[in-house]
Each structure stands twice: as structure tokens, then as C-alpha cells.
Amino acid sequence: MGDITCKFGGTSLADASCFRDVIAIVKANPKRRFIVPSAPGKRTPQDRKITDLLYAWHRIAADGLDASEPAHIISDRFAELARDLGVSFDIERHLKEIAEQVTQHATPDYMASRGEYLNGRLMAEVLQATFVDPADCIKFTAGGELDPVTYDLLGQRLEGPGLFVIPGFYGSLPNGEIKTFSRGGSDISGAIVARAARSALYENWTDVSGFRMTDPRIVPEAKRIEEITYQELRELSYMGATVLHDEAIYPVHELKIPINILNTKSPESPGTLIVGERKSKNPVCGIAGRAGFSMINIEKALMNKERGFGLRVLTVLDEFGIGWEHMPTGIDTMSIIIRDEELGTSGDKLVGEIKKFCNPDEISLTPALAMIATVGQGMSHHVGVAARLCAAVAEAGINLRVIDQGSSEMNIIVGVEEQDLQPAVRAIYKAFENWD
Ligand code: ASP
């Protein structure tokens, strides 16, 4: 109660010097008692992540080839970490066990999880903390969903005084087999630990000081977001703002445990606080955009009177196994916006099939669109947000191809041609940078 769960990402644990920063952060506040490490990440842009090396080890071994190269690199990295940190850590014994498991057909999930497992063991040694293996208490159902029994099981393991280290990224299935979350999943583990320990705060330590209002590669001076709500973050990360795994919000949301996104290299910077309700007056908290969308435009006179028209169109999509993102409609028109990776090369065939099955008056496919989400929970109470947004884009001489505001009124999504993505994001950012 009142304690803090801290998750440290792979770049924050890439070498001994990073590790020492992390130890200093943990020791600086006695409330930081539940520590969730990722596997060591890249030390330089050319370096390899331990998790990637473990997947490579598994692939090579599964092909019946000699996997000693990744095994050696992993062994050297942990041995070097332990030596530089001055702790005894029998990496060879651990690697022997992993190698044995590989010969007995260990799964890719088991292999990948060993990066967090080993780093957790090392971290527990360095901090003199209790090591808790998530294989025993983060449980998945046979269908691969998180089993809610986890919170009690894990909660019991986290009782008592002192520091606890719980490796991120994995848990186990009912048959005891290790299962990982999707990539970057230690963020989810951290949220689960925060909830099970009933922490007052979940600190997610990474290599940036929180979120910026928009992508700093597009707007270098973009302001830091001080506070953002869980839902706002969900909307922004859907559009590609990826500092935190988007599934990391659910475990803490219900208990309203705030998440603070912090930077291990600048621990005093306040970062971004993710909360249930934010205080800022600005109805907009962030702008995120990405290219790579196509739009199917369908026209049919008296579409609204023709029962089942929309259903038939969506049935065709379903038959192609294609999911869609947005569907703005007019009186006699509907548009369906689809991610290019989802559409693949099926665009023309899909249009042909809709033509045959739904008999529209007109149908066409517009490729190369970018979608931009302007997100803010305050939008529904403010007059003039859409006007300000559209005026800014118009003043930048950019044509809006799509405007879509969902019923939650928490975001306005606009579509522009791909080459207009960056200038449009810049224009929207400038319009909402300050709200007076
Ligand atoms: N090590 C895992 C990955 O590289 C999980 C994580 O870092 O969160 O995806």
C-alpha cells in the first residue's frame, strides 16, 4: 500500500552503467519496492537485444544447426554485466539449463522469456531482493488470456517487507508452459504487478522523459505532455505513439493507479503522468498521425433506404479476412478506411467483389492516405475545436480528404494525402500548442 512499482525497459538495463543508474533510482526512494526488469536491450544502434538473440538461438536450434554464436554472445553479455556490477552470477549454469531445454524442444516463448528471467535473477542479486518467478504466479488461460487469478497469486507472493524483483514479459499457461506477452510486454507485467501489489504508483522507466504532444521528428519543439488520461493515451498509441505497450493500461485502469513515464538518464525530469482525469485546460492533449491507409469510396442512390447494404459491404470484407479502421458515411455514400498492411494486394479484387455483391452506382479505391488523430478528452465540452483544426489545415494549403469524429468525442480523425502528413501534423500542433 502506498508503494511504487517500477518497470525498467531494456535500454535502461543495457550495460553496467545503466544498471547502476537504475540501482540509484531504486535506492533513492524506499517506496520503490516492486521492480520489474526487461531483458538487456541495445547498447548502440548496431547492437542486438538479448530477446532477439534468444529468438535467433531458438530458430537456429530448431533447424538443427549450431546455435553456439547467439549462446556465446548472451553468455558474454551477462558475464560482463555481473563482473562490472561486482556480483557473483553463475551464467554458465543458467545457460546450460536453457541449452538442455532447447534440445528438448523448448518453445520460442520459453526461450524469449529467459532474457527477463536472467536479468531478473541478476537484478535480485544486485539489489539483495526477493526474486519472484512469474511462471508461478502470472497465469494465462488455455486460450492465452490473462487469468484474473493472477492478481491474488501474485499479490500473496509480494507480501512482506523489502524489495521484490519480478521479471517482465512472461507468465505460464495452465499446463505450466511458459507464455510471453507480445513484444514490449514487460510494460504489461509492470501494470499487473502494480495492481497485484496495490501500488500507489506505477513508474515506467524508459529512455525518454514522457510523451510529447506530437512526434518530435515532425515537430522538434513539441511540448511534453504533463498529464494524459488512460483513454487519451489509448487513442494516441493506436495511431502509433508507442512509448508504452497499449495493453499496459488495462490492469491499472480499474484501480486508477497512475502511470508515470520517466527517463532513467534524467530521473529528476517529471515525465508524463497517465491518470484517470487530468487537470489541464487544453481540450487537446496530443496529435498522432501515420501514413499507409487506403479508402474505398462507395456511392449508391438511396443507400439509406436499402436495408442491409452496409452489412453486405462488410460481409465482403469479412470474407477477404480484412479488418477496417474507420467508416465515415454520407447520405448516399460510405467510405471504408483500411490499413495498407491489412489490405495487402487485394484492393482491386475487393472492389470487384463489392461491385458484384452490393451493386453500387460508383466505387473507387483511393490509395496513399495518411490519418491524423487529434486527441483530447475535453473536446466534447469545447466549442470550436473542429473549427480550429480545419482552419489550421486549410491555412497550410492542405486538402482534407476525410473528417471523422467518433461518438466519444475524444478524437477527431482527419485523412490527408500521404505527402501532406507532416505539414498537416505541424499545422494542427501549432493550433493546439496553447489553448487560451
Ligand atoms: N524483452 C521483450 C522485448 O524485447 C519484452 C520487453 O522488453 O518488454 O520485446
Short mmCIF file of all heavy atoms in Angstrom, two decimals, residues 7 10 38-39 49 51 116 169 182-187, ligand 1:
data_model
loop_
_atom_site.label_atom_id
_atom_site.label_comp_id
_atom_site.label_asym_id
_atom_site.label_seq_id
_atom_site.Cartn_x
_atom_site.Cartn_y
_atom_site.Cartn_z
N LYS A 7 9.00 -0.34 -13.46
CA LYS A 7 9.43 -1.20 -14.56
C LYS A 7 10.57 -0.50 -15.29
O LYS A 7 10.48 0.70 -15.59
CB LYS A 7 8.24 -1.46 -15.50
CG LYS A 7 8.60 -2.30 -16.71
CD LYS A 7 8.78 -1.48 -17.95
CE LYS A 7 9.41 -2.27 -19.07
NZ LYS A 7 9.56 -1.49 -20.31
N GLY A 10 14.48 -2.23 -21.54
CA GLY A 10 15.74 -2.84 -21.96
C GLY A 10 16.88 -1.85 -22.16
O GLY A 10 18.02 -2.14 -21.79
N SER A 38 13.08 -5.54 -17.81
CA SER A 38 13.09 -6.16 -19.15
C SER A 38 14.42 -6.88 -19.31
O SER A 38 15.30 -6.80 -18.46
CB SER A 38 13.03 -5.09 -20.23
OG SER A 38 11.75 -4.58 -20.39
N ALA A 39 14.59 -7.51 -20.45
CA ALA A 39 15.89 -8.09 -20.80
C ALA A 39 16.82 -6.97 -21.27
O ALA A 39 16.33 -5.95 -21.77
CB ALA A 39 15.71 -9.11 -21.91
N LYS A 49 19.46 -6.91 -29.22
CA LYS A 49 18.74 -7.10 -27.96
C LYS A 49 18.88 -8.56 -27.54
O LYS A 49 18.83 -9.46 -28.39
CB LYS A 49 17.24 -6.81 -28.15
CG LYS A 49 16.92 -5.36 -28.44
CD LYS A 49 15.44 -5.19 -28.73
CE LYS A 49 14.63 -5.17 -27.45
NZ LYS A 49 13.25 -4.68 -27.65
N THR A 51 16.67 -10.38 -26.18
CA THR A 51 15.46 -11.12 -26.61
C THR A 51 15.59 -11.58 -28.06
O THR A 51 15.24 -12.72 -28.39
CB THR A 51 14.21 -10.23 -26.46
OG1 THR A 51 14.22 -9.65 -25.16
CG2 THR A 51 12.93 -11.01 -26.65
N GLU A 116 14.46 -11.93 -19.67
CA GLU A 116 13.91 -11.28 -18.48
C GLU A 116 14.24 -12.10 -17.23
O GLU A 116 14.56 -11.56 -16.19
CB GLU A 116 12.38 -11.13 -18.61
CG GLU A 116 11.91 -9.86 -19.28
CD GLU A 116 12.23 -9.76 -20.76
OE1 GLU A 116 12.61 -10.77 -21.37
OE2 GLU A 116 12.10 -8.66 -21.33
N PHE A 169 7.47 -9.61 -19.00
CA PHE A 169 7.29 -10.25 -20.31
C PHE A 169 6.64 -11.63 -20.31
O PHE A 169 6.19 -12.09 -21.32
CB PHE A 169 8.65 -10.31 -21.02
CG PHE A 169 8.62 -10.61 -22.50
CD1 PHE A 169 7.61 -10.14 -23.32
CD2 PHE A 169 9.64 -11.36 -23.09
CE1 PHE A 169 7.61 -10.40 -24.69
CE2 PHE A 169 9.65 -11.63 -24.44
CZ PHE A 169 8.64 -11.14 -25.24
N SER A 182 3.00 -10.06 -25.97
CA SER A 182 3.59 -9.67 -27.25
C SER A 182 4.82 -8.80 -26.97
O SER A 182 5.05 -8.38 -25.83
CB SER A 182 2.55 -8.97 -28.12
OG SER A 182 2.00 -7.89 -27.42
N ARG A 183 5.59 -8.50 -28.02
CA ARG A 183 6.85 -7.77 -27.84
C ARG A 183 6.62 -6.47 -27.06
O ARG A 183 5.62 -5.80 -27.24
CB ARG A 183 7.49 -7.44 -29.21
CG ARG A 183 7.96 -8.63 -30.01
CD ARG A 183 8.99 -9.50 -29.33
NE ARG A 183 10.21 -8.87 -28.89
CZ ARG A 183 11.36 -8.87 -29.57
NH1 ARG A 183 11.42 -9.45 -30.75
NH2 ARG A 183 12.44 -8.31 -29.07
N GLY A 184 7.57 -6.14 -26.23
CA GLY A 184 7.43 -4.95 -25.39
C GLY A 184 6.53 -5.20 -24.19
O GLY A 184 6.14 -4.28 -23.48
N GLY A 185 6.22 -6.48 -23.94
CA GLY A 185 5.19 -6.82 -22.95
C GLY A 185 5.59 -6.65 -21.49
O GLY A 185 4.75 -6.82 -20.61
N SER A 186 6.84 -6.29 -21.21
CA SER A 186 7.19 -6.06 -19.79
C SER A 186 6.39 -4.89 -19.23
O SER A 186 6.16 -4.82 -18.02
CB SER A 186 8.68 -5.76 -19.64
OG SER A 186 9.42 -6.86 -20.09
N ASP A 187 5.98 -3.98 -20.10
CA ASP A 187 5.10 -2.89 -19.66
C ASP A 187 3.81 -3.46 -19.05
O ASP A 187 3.27 -2.92 -18.08
CB ASP A 187 4.68 -2.01 -20.85
CG ASP A 187 5.79 -1.10 -21.33
OD1 ASP A 187 6.76 -0.90 -20.58
OD2 ASP A 187 5.68 -0.60 -22.47
N1 ASP B 1 12.29 -8.13 -23.95
C1 ASP B 1 10.98 -8.15 -24.57
C2 ASP B 1 11.07 -7.50 -25.93
O1 ASP B 1 12.15 -7.19 -26.39
C3 ASP B 1 9.93 -7.55 -23.72
C4 ASP B 1 10.17 -6.14 -23.26
O2 ASP B 1 11.27 -5.63 -23.38
O3 ASP B 1 9.22 -5.51 -22.78
O4 ASP B 1 10.07 -7.34 -26.56
#
